[in-house]
Every structure is written in C-alpha cells, then in structure tokens.
Amino acid sequence: ALPAAAARRLAMLLSDRPGTGTGGRRGTSPDLMELLPQWLAAANARGFAAPPQTLPALLDAARGRTDLRPAALTFAGPRALWLARFNQDWRFALRAAPGGGASLPGAEDTDGIRQLWQEGLFAERVALLAALRARAPEAARELLAGTWATERAEDRLMFLDSLRAGLAAGDEPFLELALSDRSRNVRTTAAELLSTLPDSALAGRMAVRAAACVAVDRTGDGPVIAVEAPPECDPGMERDGVVARPPTGRGERSWWLGQLVEAAPLATWPVRLGGRTPGEIVALPVADGWQGELHAAWCRAAVRQGDAEWARALLGLPAAPEAGGPGAVSLAERARLLGTLEGAEQAGWVAGFIAAHGLSEAFQLLGVCAVPWPAALGRSVVDALNIARDAGSYPWSFSGVMGLAERCLDPAEAGRLDALLAVPDEGEDASPGAGGYWAEAFQRLATTLRLRAVMLAELGPLAG
C-alpha cells in the first residue's frame, strides 16, 4: 500500500488536466501531468499498488496518453483490467495486457501451452509466445515452427518479431527458412534478425557483397575509400532482405549499397580496409561524394549491432565543427548512436556538444540521456540556458529543452538556480519583457525540481 502522503500526491497529480495552460506564458506552476510518468516509475520500482479509488482517474489519464500506459497499468494491477471491462473508454487496457488479461499456462503445463497455441485468440497466442520465449527460447521457436506454414502473413510477422528476445545461433535455421517466405515484410524481418547474428550465413553473404563495393584506393597522394555501388539487385540479394525498389528521390544503386553495408558485420571493415581501427576508417576521405551514404549505413549497422566502438568513431568529438551539422552524420543519427553507449559516457558527450554548440540543436540528443541527468550534463544545460537568457532572446525558443530539464535535471541541482530567479536588467538589444519571462521559466524549473524531491521522499527509499 502507498504511504498516505504519496497517495495524496497521486490524487493531486491525477487531478491536473491538459488544456489548462495559458499560451506562451506558463507562469511558475509545475506541470503536474508531466510529473506523473516519473512518479509512476518510482512507485513501480518500490512495488507499491494503486489505491482502488484512484483507478478511474488513472485509467482516464492513460487513455489520453499512450506513453503512460505501460507504467500506469503495471501500477494499477489486475483490478484495473477487471474494471476496464465495464467502460468502453478503458478497453485499451485489455488490448495492452498480455492476452487481454487472460492467465497463461505455467511452464510445466505442456498440454495447456499447446492447446492455447492452437485454439487461443491472437492476443493470447502472442502473449504465450513472448512469455515462453523469455523462459525457454528454443521451446518457443519450436512451437512457432510447428504451425508456421498455416499462419496468416500478418500473424507470422508479429510472431517472428518475438524472436528478438533471446536471439541466438540456434534460431538461424528457422530464420533462413523464413527468408523464402511469400511475405516481403516477413523476409525483411528475418533478414534483419539474421544480420544481428555476426556468425550467421546471411551476415557472411552480406559481408562478401558489401566488401566488393568498398575498398581503399592508394593511387593518389593518400589513401581514399573508393565506392562502387552494386549494378543490380539480384534474386539472392532480395532473398537476403535487400528491398529492390528505392523510396522516391533515392537512386537505386545508393539504396542497394546502404542496405548491404548496414547488414554486413562491422568486423568486415578492419579486415577489408587495411587493418585500420574504426576511428581510422571513419577518418579516411571517401571519393566521389559517397561519404554521406557510407557513413549513414555504418551508423545504422552500429546501432543494429550495438557496437560502441564504431558508435564512438562515427560520433567523433562533440566539440568538432561538423558535430553541430551539417556533417556526414546527422543529428538524428548521432542520437541513435548515443543509445549504444553507457549512461555516463552518453551524458558526457552531450555535455561537450552543448558547451561547443549551444542548445539549439541539442534537444534530440538530450532526449536519449538517462534520467536524472548526471551533474556535469545538468550544469551544461543550465549554463547554456543562462547564456541564452543573457543574449536577450525570449525563452520560448528553448521551451522543449526547459521541459526536458524539468523532468530530467537532478533535483539536487535546484539550489544552483537561485541566482537565476531575479529579473535581469535588459540590454538595449534584448527583446521587450524577455527578462521577466526567463525569471518565470527558471522559477518554474526550480519549483518543479523541489517538488520532484518531495515526491521521491514521500515514496521512501528503494528496497535493498
């Protein structure tokens, strides 16, 4: 059961409703609905259960915000599923629950597992396969293989996606068979899964194809990467997941090249390109304008294969001019690369980026970082906001970053904001009234951080 103070806080958070803002000027009051996801995560981590009287408001909140649903339904528990059957507006809870809230047979109940797999509703079968995959990956794969030929294409795609959990070399024969599926989406997913197994036959085939397209040219003043895109997309490439028809505006050969490089194991390149490290490879010039296409494909490969060394090489130094764009690697790609790094390294890179390039391009990168932000990242964000304030612009250009700061800054940083709460003197070039708006924004940030600290205190410490 929740502590009494935490239960009162939950009721307060749930009583806040969207649509009560006042336009551009939000005032100094915290946005309570934006604190609800964090409160739910903290309550779930401590094993608390929802007070029954809060369930209607909790389900209403989750109905309006899909990002709330997983945490809200975990907190609400089975009583919310029972309640959802009586209100059409809450039926999303039944769809979101594994098997629509139905109980699944235990691991030892082989007859029950087989009966549910053969006779159950689609949601029940998906939930069964996911649960079985988590505890007995090979048994889940064998269950799927037994009915694979008779499943609908859209169902095969969903079932195949469940193999991501616990993917291992033993899945390769089944996935190789799926490469010949009559559904293109199924073939593409099977190829993607196989390409994440670096020792799979498909990964080897892709390595051969990609390596034939990329080499080091030593005929000039220094080594240069030369690219020769594939001249056609043959049936073998299509079987291995290469989509033959490019999107509108993309050239065929560059489209095929990108797919080959993305699917090839990254270990291919040091061997192919003269024993160089990833950093040395990325630093090489690329001939004939192929750098953007090649580096983008390496980015996708690094994310797919979870390769931190390649991610670091492609990210480069955060203070480098090209990091702020435009460059061979876009900000969106940098954000995905950051996801392969550990939290402290991730936050350190973003802090360095902000120090060098400011906040205007940092929103995507900040959204990747773990919460609460480490002290160094928090300081870099506050310092950059202070610089923007001193420049005399309005704070609305930074409302996204300010909103992230309200949710992600460590509450211990609230004291550092005290010096920023007063209305500053406005310079001649300052926008009229900007100082007052900034003072309000910093006051709201400080108030929100202190409220978050109180919320956590009311929930109590984590066990253990």
Side-chain angles (χ1 to χ4, degrees), residues 130-378:
L132 191 59
R133 183 69 176 176
R135 63 187 185 229
E138 292 185 3
R141 185 187 66 244
E142 290 170 5
L143 190 70
L144 177 57
T147 60
W148 180 256
T150 61
E151 304 288 356
R152 299 184 306 166
E154 56 267 36
D155 294 352
R156 292 199 304 278
L157 182 62
M158 184 72 76
F159 292 144
L160 192 64
D161 202 56
S162 71
L163 298 186
R164 293 182 190 277
L167 187 67
D171 298 318
E172 183 178 358
F174 176 76
L175 293 172
E176 275 283 341
L177 289 174
L179 290 176
S180 301
D181 196 89
R182 56 189 179 272
S183 164
R184 189 184 75 179
N185 290 333
V186 171
R187 294 195 303 271
T188 301
T189 300
E192 181 195 343
L193 292 173
L194 282 167
S195 71
T196 63
L197 295 172
D199 296 325
S200 68
L202 179 138
R205 296 192 294 270
M206 288 301 201
V208 170
R209 293 177 180 126
C213 298
V214 182
V216 176
D217 182 355
R218 298 181 176 84
T219 59
D221 294 334
V224 174
I225 294 180
V227 175
E228 181 65 34
E232 63 174 344
C233 182
D234 60 43
M237 289 167 60
E238 287 199 66
R239 183 181 183 273
D240 284 348
V242 176
V243 178
R245 187 173 180 179
T248 303
R250 287 290 299 276
E252 284 184 333
R253 296 183 68 193
S254 65
W255 172 243
W256 300 331
L257 173 77
Q259 294 179 79
L260 293 182
V261 173
E262 177 182 355
L266 287 164
T268 303
W269 303 111
V271 176
R272 174 63 172 157
L273 303 178
R276 291 175 171 86
T277 66
E280 292 168 340
I281 291 171
V282 170
L284 286 174
V286 183
D288 301 324
W290 283 103
Q291 185 183 47
E293 191 70 51
L294 185 60
H295 283 210
W298 278 335
C299 285
R300 296 192 298 273
V303 172
R304 181 186 289 192
Q305 298 172 37
D307 193 307
E309 185 180 6
W310 270 90
R312 292 186 194 100
L314 291 158
L315 280 166
L317 296 174
E322 64 271 16
V329 179
S330 70
L331 279 169
E333 287 164 342
R334 291 181 195 277
R336 289 189 284 271
L337 289 169
L338 283 168
T340 68
L341 304 181
E342 295 295 329
E345 184 179 3
Q346 195 179 72
W349 197 94
V350 177
F353 178 94
I354 292 170
H357 306 288
L359 286 174
S360 59
E361 303 293 342
F363 182 77
Q364 290 183 79
L365 306 178
L366 285 167
V368 176
C369 296
V371 179
W373 291 335
L377 178 56

Side-chain angles (χ1 to χ4, degrees), residues 88-153:
Q88 189 67 33
D89 289 342
W90 299 336
R91 290 299 175 93
F92 71 87
L94 301 177
R95 293 192 297 270
S103 59
L104 300 175
E108 69 289 342
D109 185 3
T110 54
D111 291 339
I113 289 173
R114 189 158 300 279
Q115 182 177 4
L116 183 58
W117 180 248
Q118 292 174 347
E119 302 174 7
L121 299 173
F122 175 68
E124 294 172 332
R125 299 179 75 213
V126 170
L128 174 65
L129 191 63
L132 191 59
R133 183 69 176 176
R135 63 187 185 229
E138 292 185 3
R141 185 187 66 244
E142 290 170 5
L143 190 70
L144 177 57
T147 60
W148 180 256
T150 61
E151 304 288 356
R152 299 184 306 166

